[in-house]
Amino acid sequence: MGCVHGKCCTRYPSSSDGDSGRRREKRPYKCKHILTQRSLELVPVPSHNFTLQFSVLTQHGYYPDTVERENQDSFCIKTQLQGNPDIHFFGVFDGHGQYGAECSNFVKDRLVERLANDTTLLDDPLKAYNSAFLATNSELHDSEIDDTMSGTTAITVLVVGDTLYVANVGDSRAVIAVKDGDRILAEDLSEDQTPFRKDEYERVKLCGARVLSVDQVEGLKDPNIQNWGDEYSQGGDPPRLWVPDGMYPGTAFTRSVGDSTAEKIGVIAVPEISVVRLTRNHLFFVVASDGVFEFLSSRTVVNMGTLHSLYLSHLSIFLTNL
């Protein structure tokens, strides 16, 4: 994976409007992403005179026993939200459960639609984001999709001029590459919402959740030990959420959209939102599901993007689901 730039991507074709004598709005120029051989698209942010370049890769993960397993993830890219050339939306939605694909597709459509129709979006992006997530969650509950044991996580980035609003629900992640002298650093734009986090662990416990790994639930390990190390050392058997008197739902995240059963033990659709003002030192950001970050650290992902960059003059985005 990576963000790859080339000189062919720095130019925009233009055309004249014969009736008015003014130039039409510039349209994204497309070329191939060198690594994925998929389209690399460009969209300008005229208020701050920079260009967003983005590419997407989505595929199901490798499961030796179920090689034809359905890819339940989806993504959403909506440029010029509300007809404004300075507002752009990017999101990755990681579905899970029997109807995970239906949930992720429902949420990726309805969430951005909610944002697009919110007249307060520019005045109060944080409030608009919160409202959009909660309303979408309610709509999913009321839809024909059975979300009792299915749902989706969501990691989304709203670009408003030179500011990023990053809203996260679940254990997907956004990370940005930042130039610091001769170094390029990886800075997380979101924090995974799992029982590994002390604050999230305590919140769901107060809601009645049992927090145990699968080995603990099955009696192979002591259930009284409520310390699971970190997600990188214990990723194979992470702590999960269970109802007090049953062996379900077993979610390894503490926030999601849908999952009406898990909602009763503290799994919520309230996003955590971070705000970043872009500078010349911000090179690119990656939005991806836990299918990437379960196996690769943020540092590794940024290193891969940096190694495959030809030059870094425009902010780039690379969205991926695995």
Side-chain angles (χ1 to χ4, degrees), residues 171 173 175 188 190 192 194 196 228-239 290 292-301:
D171 55 2
R173 191 182 305 172
V175 59
D188 287 333
S190 63
D192 300 357
T194 74
F196 282 113
W228 300 272
D230 60 67
E231 58 187 307
Y232 291 108
S233 63
Q234 298 296 324
D237 188 21
D290 70 333
V292 171
F293 290 110
E294 183 178 352
F295 302 100
L296 301 173
S297 68
S298 297
R299 171 74 266 170
T300 300
V301 169

Side-chain angles (χ1 to χ4, degrees), residues 19 27 47 50 70 77 87 96 132 135 147 166 172 178 186 188 208 216 259 270 277 282 299 310 312 315:
D19 296 330
R27 295 176 298 174
S47 65
F50 71 90
E70 178 186 19
I77 298 172
I87 307 178
H96 51 263
D147 72 344
V166 183
S172 295
V178 185
D188 287 333
Q216 288 176 309
D259 291 293
V270 178
R277 181 67 59 86
H282 291 113
R299 171 74 266 170
L310 299 181
L312 300 166
L315 183 70

